[in-house]
Amino acid sequence: MKSLETDVIVIGGGATGSGVLRDAAMRGYRAILVERVDLGQGTTGRFHGLLHSGGRYVVTDPRSATECAQETAILSKIAADAVEQTGGLFVTTPADDPEYADKFAAACLATDVPVQEIAVAEALRREPRLNPKISRAFAVNDGSVDAWKLIWGNVHSAMEYGAQVLTYHWVTQVLRDGDRVCGVVCRDDVHGGEVRIDADFVINAGGVWAGQIADMAGCPDVQVVPGRGVMIAMNHRLVNTVVNRCDPPGDGDIIVPIHTVCVIGTTDTKVDSPDDLPIPRDEVQQMLDAGEVLVPGFRQSRALHAWAGARPLVKDTRVAADDTRHMSRGMAAFDHLERDGVRGFLTISGGKATTFRLMAQVVVDQMCEQRGDTRPCRTGDEVMPTAREGRNYTVGHRLADREGDRLDDPLICECELVTRSMIEEHLTETPTASFDDIRRQMRLGMGPCQGGFCSMRATGIGHEIGALDAARANDRLRLFLTNRWIGLHTILHGDQVHQTVLDKWIFDGTLDVEHLPQAQEAGQ
Amino acid sequence: MNDEMRASLDHCVKCTVCEAHCPVAAVTPLFPGPKYVGPQGERFRESGTSVDISLDYCSGCGICTHVCPQDVKIAEINAQARHEMKSRKGISVRDRLISRPMVTGRLSAPVAPIANAVLRNGLARRALSATLRIHRKAPLPASARMTLRRWLRGRTQAPAKRGTIVYFHGCAANFYEVETGRMTIEVLEHLGYRVLTPKQGCCGLPLQSNGLFDDARQHVHSLVSALDGAGHGLPIVASSTSCGLMLKREAHEILGMEDATLASVGARTFDICEFLLDLHDHGELPLDLAPIEMTIPYHAPCQLRGHGIGTPAVELMKLIPGVTVVESNAACCGVAGTYGLKREKYDIAMAVGAPLFNMVRDMHPPLAVCDSETCRWQIATATGVETVHPIALIHRAYGLS
């Protein structure tokens, strides 16, 4: 068994885990992050991409609202490349409570969430597809954020401080030495074998899986209930501003423009397992209907892909129930020394992507306290290496990039403007990467054709540069198509049917992918 | 952007049929192709920003929209994106000038011999190329000594035997190719129509294709009032394929105009060949056509496809005994209105038109025929073969010339 040694192990490669890694590394700790699959494959990679102005919480959760407003301002600077400053609108549609708007405006003032009421005509000028029957409109500082870029920003920053990241490392044991947690054992799902990592501290940032990890450490009853939310990405940006219903928080009350698409979200259903998230057709219909309230014609627009994410809803009877400070933030930090008498182990869960940096700060502060160190948090002051150009993301940036290189670098994914060299570089560096890993890096296959044209090209490139033999290349292709299909079959109506049929002709009819030789690689 | 056009990008299945048919992408890598700049690029565009200058290499021929099996309004999306780009980056003096045929026509008509001599002068053309970036070999039309409107002033109309028609002659027939206008009127009068020619201006198409949408809309607005004012509900006949298409479709689809008069005028606008063939289909076209022994190359201009009326000129010419029509089956002559005049695009336009030019030259014909004026000038300049509107043959076969 391979073994490693470090100061802190962070379990979980979502926004929170990567934020904890960065925070710990910046405070001078040697840190290793372990993630059971790819970075951002869990909840962080499955939300609608909203960077909260705080507006959504001003009435129901004022403290969260203020924190969101502060964190959004910080993230727009330290992770500029991941954030698009779209701005947001809260609009009162005919389906909303007209009384709420005044409550909303007052609560924004009370919580320091910047807001400005604008004329309905001005809102419609900014967003011409918006329901013309809206009666009030408020401009707020909502933005959208690429969760994957945010995670890699954290990771690259942490690496500059010496941190390490091990993806596809599945924690099978949390090691104990008496009342102290002293490391973990992971299964390496890419190269095989086991890895033992010794450390004086383990931080559980397992999100919706945090309860399972706490169990392994002998700290039972950390109850994280998965709240499944269904979201749908539409083929193009029907709005360029985040548009919210000015109504108490509810299902399908927001459309977020992110990259080339816009996302309607979300539903909220408690489910048993975070690893089994169906996408019920009635919830898909519910989202399309909800979109219609904000943007008439939404139902007829082309839906590209549906997916479900699992919110971590923390329910803890012994500590968190009276820990109102943390519950009010929507985040839950468990001090297992206080709660279970176990040293060297902390759990952070709940919360939202917008406040991940603050969650990391809270839990790393707790670690410092337990260790008796005085090392202040600096994550809010230092720009991530990926954001040093200081420019926020804009939707046109790839089109501008291709303007410069399109004659020399062929397009592989035409929908999302991914070039051959982007894929080649990634596969050369990480030959084990699945096409979904590449997708999370560069949006391969996330556009209208949903991998119909780019996946076979990427397969060919992987084989051509020697990263994959023929059978493995086939497996990667099939796995990618299978995973795309999960998000397609429930939204098949209108234009996406034409696309899917064409894709099927290509893969089944022409390439006969089902019957190509298989390598029987370890699946994901 | 006109939402109806942008929304059509949802229909794209990336099949690439448009790219395979694009005559510009086939000859130059400078244009990334209609799918790239159209339904694909549009997803990356946000109102108020413009990052892809290569879009300007679209000639606007419209073949992409015509061939799209999914009904994506590709050319229309591109035209609107180009307008956005131009309104941000600014529009050159050249583009402002060549998009106003009425202004250039009015300026040069009174001094036609001088203007024409200047345009034929190599030195002057070099100067034009250096200052305004209009290619020195580009097909600029010669000004007529007498405009169509001046010719109309001095004549008396034949009495009407079968109804009244409004003639939309456009700028070309007024200032440059007066023959086409005169022959159209004479053929219609020969058939017994009373032809009204209300005072009329430019349809705004060159402005539109150079990204000057606001000016273009004003022109459309004045034009449709003038045509409608001649007599509400009367059929309108156009001898310019592209200007007729402006009224039928493009003012609505590209300029986004929702004007009741435009809708009414557009619905009763007919291409002259479409109109005559329709008479024939109803058995109302006299067939006393004198034989013309001639084998003629015919090129259907790109804009004709936009009409969705097939190739009525071919059907009509075939009615003339002795005429053999050989269709070019070429995609495009390259000029696309004003595209091929521009110094930076001239070579592309010539490469686009090369198969057509070769076909025409190889036939050594006495005449070539094409419905659209800028295409005729392009074909004539490139091949040296006199190129006429189909009405010229009909006119001759009826013994009118």
Side-chain angles (χ1 to χ4, degrees):
Chain A
M1 189 190 299
K2 194 174 149 188
S3 62
L4 297 164
E5 193 264 325
T6 189
D7 294 337
V8 190
I9 296 165
V10 183
I11 304 175
T16 311
S18 66
V20 171
L21 183 78
R22 174 171 185 252
D23 195 326
M26 286 179 76
R27 298 197 208 197
Y29 296 108
R30 293 178 303 150
I32 296 177
L33 182 147
V34 290
E35 160 57 49
R36 64 176 201 164
V37 280
D38 189 26
L39 295 177
Q41 198 171 330
T43 305
T44 303
R46 294 167 185 274
F47 82 129
H48 43 40
L50 173 67
L51 192 63
H52 277 277
S53 60
R56 179 46 72 215
Y57 303 115
V58 286
V59 174
T60 52
D61 188 353
R63 181 157 200 152
S64 280
T66 307
E67 285 170 1
C68 282
Q70 290 164 351
E71 288 300 308
T72 287
I74 293 170
L75 293 181
S76 300
K77 289 197 188 78
I78 67 166
D81 65 312
V83 174
E84 181 177 352
Q85 292 184 316
T86 58
L89 289 172
F90 277 77
V91 295
T92 306
T93 74
D96 299 325
D97 172 12
E99 310 270 295
Y100 186 81
D102 287 331
K103 266 189 263 176
F104 171 81
C108 283
L109 285 179
T111 50
D112 287 328
V113 169
V115 68
Q116 191 192 3
E117 177 153 22
I118 59 172
V120 166
E122 172 58 15
L124 293 172
R125 191 193 62 78
R126 291 186 197 177
E127 289 303 339
R129 295 182 193 86
L130 207 54
N131 188 339
K133 292 187 184 136
I134 58 170
S135 54
R136 304 278 294 269
F138 300 88
V140 295
N141 288 341
D142 284 333
S144 60
V145 59
D146 181 321
W148 297 309
K149 279 192 174 184
L150 191 63
I151 292 174
W152 296 310
N154 278 319
V155 163
H156 287 302
S157 172
M159 282 173 161
E160 286 193 345
Y161 286 91
Q164 239 185 304
V165 172
L166 302 173
T167 54
Y168 294 100
H169 278 61
W170 194 298
V171 173
T172 52
Q173 285 178 64
V174 176
L175 302 171
R176 287 274 296 264
D177 177 13
D179 67 349
R180 200 173 69 86
V181 165
C182 62
V184 299
V185 174
C186 308
R187 189 180 70 227
D188 180 341
D189 279 333
V190 170
H191 303 96
E194 291 198 309
V195 183
R196 178 192 169 107
I197 312 172
D198 292 299
D200 354 301
F201 228 97
V202 172
I203 295 179
N204 170 14
V208 79
W209 293 272
Q212 296 174 24
I213 295 161
D215 279 346
M216 282 193 261
C219 303
D221 295 330
V222 171
Q223 290 181 33
V224 187
V225 180
R228 184 193 61 210
V230 165
M231 280 146 276
I232 303 168
M234 309 302 284
N235 182 41
H236 67 277
R237 289 164 69 134
L238 298 164
V239 289
N240 284 302
T241 310
V242 174
V243 178
N244 303 268
R245 299 263 296 267
C246 195
D247 210 32
D251 287 357
D253 56 7
I254 188 166
I255 303 175
V256 182
I258 179 160
H259 290 287
T260 50
V261 301
C262 62
V263 178
I264 176 90
T266 166
T267 55
D268 192 356
T269 314
K270 287 184 177 49
V271 291
D272 296 332
S273 162
D275 293 311
D276 179 22
L277 300 174
I279 306 163
R281 282 172 200 273
D282 58 337
E283 290 187 25
V284 166
Q285 188 60 51
Q286 187 193 347
M287 287 300 100
L288 293 174
D289 292 346
E292 194 73 23
V293 176
L294 284 165
V295 174
F298 194 90
R299 279 195 208 98
Q300 275 70 48
S301 297
R302 177 172 174 177
L304 277 194
H305 199 89
W307 68 94
R311 289 179 191 83
L313 302 169
V314 177
K315 210 167 78 177
D316 188 77
T317 44
R318 283 188 290 172
V319 174
D322 58 344
D323 189 354
T324 48
R325 189 171 70 93
H326 290 148
M327 285 307 281
S328 72
R329 292 166 185 230
M331 68 171 87
F334 296 85
D335 181 342
H336 294 290
L337 177 59
E338 201 178 281
R339 180 183 183 271
D340 307 287
V342 175
R343 294 182 176 278
F345 186 60
L346 297 168
T347 291
I348 179 90
S349 187
K352 54 188 73 67
T354 301
T355 54
F356 83 92
R357 194 204 61 84
L358 188 64
M359 293 166 69
Q361 182 177 343
V362 165
V363 76
V364 179
D365 278 349
Q366 282 188 6
M367 175 177 80
C368 289
E369 200 183 310
Q370 201 178 115
R371 300 174 80 121
D373 294 338
T374 315
R375 300 185 188 185
C377 173
R378 298 192 295 114
T379 52
D381 307 321
E382 188 175 296
V383 170
M384 295 177 188
T386 42
R388 281 188 190 135
E389 284 186 17
R391 280 201 301 267
N392 281 115
Y393 173 88
T394 56
V395 66
H397 88 108
R398 270 206 180 153
L399 195 59
D401 290 350
R402 295 300 82 80
E403 191 71 5
D405 62 22
R406 69 178 174 83
L407 295 178
D408 310 311
D409 200 354
L411 270 187
I412 302 305
C413 169
E414 297 170 50
C415 305
E416 291 295 321
L417 302 180
V418 178
T419 65
R420 180 179 173 108
S421 66
M422 287 162 77
I423 292 172
E424 246 184 60
E425 269 166 39
H426 193 79
L427 273 175
T428 306
E429 235 170 73
T430 321
T432 55
S434 75
F435 293 152
D436 275 302
D437 295 350
I438 297 175
R439 173 176 69 79
R440 284 182 281 269
Q441 293 278 345
M442 57 194 79
R443 299 183 63 76
L444 180 78
M446 290 182 78
C449 84
Q450 289 289 297
F453 289 72
C454 58
S455 60
M456 69 180 109
R457 294 174 183 155
T459 307
I461 292 169
H463 183 254
E464 191 185 326
I465 66 170
L468 302 166
D469 62 35
R472 278 162 187 253
N474 295 337
D475 282 354
R476 299 276 167 93
L477 174 64
R478 271 189 293 256
L479 178 64
F480 188 65
L481 293 172
T482 306
N483 288 344
R484 288 283 88 193
W485 177 245
I486 295 170
L488 276 168
H489 70 93
T490 55
I491 49 124
L492 284 185
H493 75 280
D495 288 315
Q496 201 59 16
V497 177
H498 298 187
Q499 183 73 61
T500 308
V501 170
L502 178 60
D503 293 355
K504 185 179 159 55
W505 286 340
I506 293 170
F507 289 106
D508 282 354
T510 307
L511 299 175
D512 195 17
V513 284
E514 299 274 346
H515 301 100
L516 294 174
Q518 298 183 21
Q520 308 289 0
E521 253 184 319
Q524 288 165 35
Chain B
M1 169 154 317
N2 178 347
D3 213 41
E4 191 186 328
M5 298 302 120
R6 183 182 158 113
S8 78
L9 75 85
D10 272 356
H11 310 324
C12 177
V13 293
K14 322 293 284 188
C15 69
T16 313
V17 167
C18 58
E19 307 247 304
H21 281 80
C22 174
V24 179
V27 299
T28 176
L30 293 172
F31 181 51
K35 178 178 75 173
Y36 183 100
V37 300
Q40 196 165 289
E42 186 55 32
R43 295 176 69 243
F44 291 84
R45 293 196 192 102
E46 198 178 1
S47 183
T49 60
S50 223
V51 295
D52 52 332
I53 314 298
S54 57
L55 158 68
D56 195 39
Y57 280 97
C58 167
S59 78
C61 70
I63 291 176
C64 45
T65 296
H66 185 73
V67 298
C68 177
Q70 302 293 329
D71 208 16
V72 181
K73 303 288 184 187
I74 309 167
E76 290 78 2
I77 291 172
N78 295 348
Q80 290 173 36
R82 190 166 52 229
H83 156 64
E84 287 249 355
M85 179 178 78
K86 293 229 172 180
S87 43
R88 282 188 64 76
K89 310 255 178 218
I91 295 170
S92 67
V93 176
R94 182 217 32 214
D95 290 1
R96 287 178 188 279
L97 187 74
I98 60 176
S99 60
R100 287 178 169 79
M102 250 186 2
V103 174
T104 48
R106 270 197 203 131
L107 285 175
S108 49
V111 290
I114 303 167
N116 294 340
V118 169
L119 289 184
R120 281 195 304 270
N121 180 294
L123 266 178
R125 289 299 299 264
R126 274 174 206 280
L128 211 54
S129 170
T131 52
L132 285 176
R133 295 180 297 117
I134 295 173
H135 197 277
R136 63 190 174 82
K137 290 187 188 161
L140 294 181
S143 296
R145 280 164 186 259
M146 183 192 272
T147 64
L148 182 71
R149 300 216 61 85
R150 187 118 176 258
W151 174 78
L152 282 167
R153 253 183 266 154
R155 69 190 287 273
T156 41
Q157 278 202 347
K161 284 174 276 181
R162 63 191 294 181
T164 307
I165 274 179
V166 179
Y167 175 42
F168 165 38
H169 53 66
C171 304
N174 187 35
F175 293 113
Y176 306 110
E177 251 194 32
V178 175
E179 290 300 282
T180 301
R182 185 175 60 75
M183 290 188 288
T184 304
I185 294 170
E186 287 173 355
V187 166
L188 287 169
E189 288 184 349
H190 173 75
L191 297 177
Y193 288 101
R194 179 167 163 246
V195 181
L196 302 180
T197 48
K199 196 167 183 307
Q200 53 191 270
C202 174
C203 68
L205 174 61
L207 290 162
Q208 181 240 88
S209 62
N210 282 286
L212 291 145
F213 278 22
D214 288 340
D215 293 351
R217 286 187 195 105
Q218 281 178 19
H219 279 76
V220 172
H221 199 73
S222 313
L223 176 63
V224 295
S225 319
L227 295 174
D228 192 53
H232 193 71
L234 291 177
I236 299 162
V237 165
S239 55
S240 168
T241 330
S242 52
C243 307
L245 186 63
M246 185 71 167
L247 297 181
K248 282 183 174 181
R249 280 183 45 195
E250 294 194 345
H252 169 64
E253 293 184 1
I254 295 180
L255 298 176
M257 294 179 71
E258 304 281 353
D259 181 294
T261 314
L262 169 65
S264 155
V265 165
R268 54 195 157 91
T269 296
F270 303 91
D271 179 78
I272 178 67
C273 293
E274 176 189 17
F275 185 80
L276 298 179
L277 188 64
D278 194 47
L279 286 182
H280 176 63
D281 289 346
H282 289 88
E284 293 169 16
L285 188 76
L287 293 175
D288 53 340
L289 296 152
I292 303 173
E293 290 303 327
M294 207 184 271
T295 299
I296 306 166
Y298 168 76
H299 176 62
C302 305
Q303 306 288 353
L304 188 67
R305 298 171 216 234
H307 285 256
I309 54 174
T311 48
V314 173
E315 307 301 310
L316 277 181
M317 289 188 290
K318 281 182 178 167
L319 298 176
I320 304 170
V323 168
T324 306
V325 181
V326 181
E327 291 186 63
S328 73
N329 292 321
C332 176
C333 73
V335 78
T338 56
Y339 182 86
L341 309 184
K342 301 173 182 180
R343 200 172 69 189
E344 74 279 11
K345 286 158 186 147
Y346 174 82
D347 289 339
I348 297 171
M350 291 304 284
V352 167
L356 169 64
F357 307 148
N358 291 337
M359 175 263 182
V360 171
R361 273 193 220 105
D362 290 350
M363 284 178 64
H364 302 289
L367 278 180
V369 176
C370 178
D371 309 68
S372 177
E373 54 274 85
T374 55
C375 310
R376 287 196 289 276
W377 303 335
Q378 169 85 338
I379 296 166
T381 310
T383 62
V385 175
E386 184 188 354
T387 308
V388 299
H389 189 284
I391 199 71
L393 281 122
I394 307 295
H395 190 265
R396 190 161 145 193
Y398 276 134
L400 301 170
S401 51

